Amino acid sequence: QKEVEQNSGPLSVPEGAIASLNCTYSDRGSQSFFWYRQYSGKSPELIMSIYSNGDKEDGRFTAQLNKASQYVSLLIRDSQPSDSATYLCAAPSGGSYIPTFGRGTSLIVHP
Amino acid sequence: DTEVTQTPKHLVMGMTNKKSLKCEQHMGHRAMYWYKQKAKKPPELMFVYSYEKLSINESVPSRFSPECPNSSLLNLHLHALQPEDSALYLCASSQGLDNEQFFGPGTRLTVL
């Protein structure tokens, strides 16, 4: 079982819709969780970090963490074509402090 | 300054060459990382420096040699690479090992 799992997609949503990206992790001791956006050929860019159960909002982005169920999700409201990218979830695994990346979910927002 | 810089942006080298990748951050971060990323794959951790000391080496071949001259700089020395080493090499830094990482733009390496 992979430590941090994401559906590779692609997830296709129309412009203006809500995109929902999910991530599960196996290390129950994980305390910190991160979402990165990566455009093709570019480096990952941090979007959100979340440490506590519940929701954390930043503009059009909302991260949701449920430690009991071991999942973290990212919601993108009012999706724009410029949101089309690969979204990487990262969480510590294997007892390490250092986050491990999931395989990433490709998001396509079509006009 | 919230930027991590990397040089060069692109590098083409032969299998017998020696080259170095450079990374710099001025955020006062105490952890720095090297990752390798192949197309359509997530970043793969290679090395971690914490307080200028190598704390993690993810079983990387010895043809890759990291160096951390000071708290702001990180180098990756390359020697006798193979074509399969061609990839995007990413540097990142963070305040601590469990904090969010900030990535540089990467070096696109091609080994002929």
Side-chain angles (χ1 to χ4, degrees), chain A residues 32 36 38 43 51 97-98 102, chain B residues 37 42 56 97-98 100-101 104:
Chain A
S32 51
Y36 290 84
Q38 187 171 26
S43 63
Y51 301 90
Y97 288 119
I98 297 169
Chain B
Q37 188 176 26
I56 292 179
L97 293 177
D98 58 349
E100 54 267 356
Q101 296 177 23

Side-chain angles (χ1 to χ4, degrees), chain A residues 32 34 36 38 41-44 46 49 51 88 96-99 101-103, chain B residues 33 35 37 42-43 45 48 56 90 97-105 108:
Chain A
S32 51
F34 310 100
Y36 290 84
Q38 187 171 26
K42 302 293 186 183
S43 63
L46 180 72
S49 54
Y51 301 90
L88 295 158
S96 169
Y97 288 119
I98 297 169
F101 286 89
R103 64 163 72 176
Chain B
Y33 311 77
Y35 288 88
Q37 188 176 26
L45 185 64
V48 181
I56 292 179
L90 295 162
L97 293 177
D98 58 349
N99 295 122
E100 54 267 356
Q101 296 177 23
F102 294 89
F103 284 83
R108 176 72 60 187

Side-chain angles (χ1 to χ4, degrees), chain A residues 21-101:
Chain A
L21 304 157
N22 299 311
C23 172
T24 58
Y25 61 93
S26 58
D27 188 343
R28 284 199 169 274
S30 296
Q31 297 293 325
S32 51
F33 306 87
F34 310 100
W35 281 101
Y36 290 84
R37 176 176 63 198
Q38 187 171 26
Y39 293 112
S40 181
K42 302 293 186 183
S43 63
E45 172 193 8
L46 180 72
I47 298 176
M48 298 276 281
S49 54
I50 186 166
Y51 301 90
S52 306
N53 270 333
D55 294 1
K56 180 181 177 183
E57 189 174 316
D58 184 359
R60 294 187 297 113
F61 299 98
T62 299
Q64 298 175 318
L65 175 59
N66 184 322
K67 289 188 179 180
S69 302
Q70 293 177 249
Y71 80 78
V72 56
S73 59
L74 180 71
L75 301 178
I76 306 175
R77 288 182 300 283
D78 189 24
S79 295
Q80 301 297 309
S82 58
D83 295 324
S84 299
T86 295
Y87 289 80
L88 295 158
C89 170
S93 64
S96 169
Y97 288 119
I98 297 169
T100 297
F101 286 89

Side-chain angles (χ1 to χ4, degrees), chain B residues 45-97:
Chain B
L45 185 64
M46 299 175 72
F47 302 104
V48 181
Y49 275 83
S50 179
Y51 289 88
E52 299 162 51
K53 296 212 181 312
L54 183 64
S55 62
I56 292 179
N57 175 342
E58 292 284 9
S59 303
V60 179
S62 59
R63 56 187 185 268
F64 295 91
S65 174
E67 179 196 19
C68 188
N70 60 53
S71 59
S72 300
L73 291 173
L74 189 65
N75 298 322
L76 185 63
H77 303 297
L78 314 173
H79 173 55
L81 294 193
Q82 304 297 308
E84 59 265 28
D85 296 321
S86 299
L88 180 67
Y89 287 83
L90 295 162
C91 174
S93 71
S94 64
Q95 184 61 41
L97 293 177

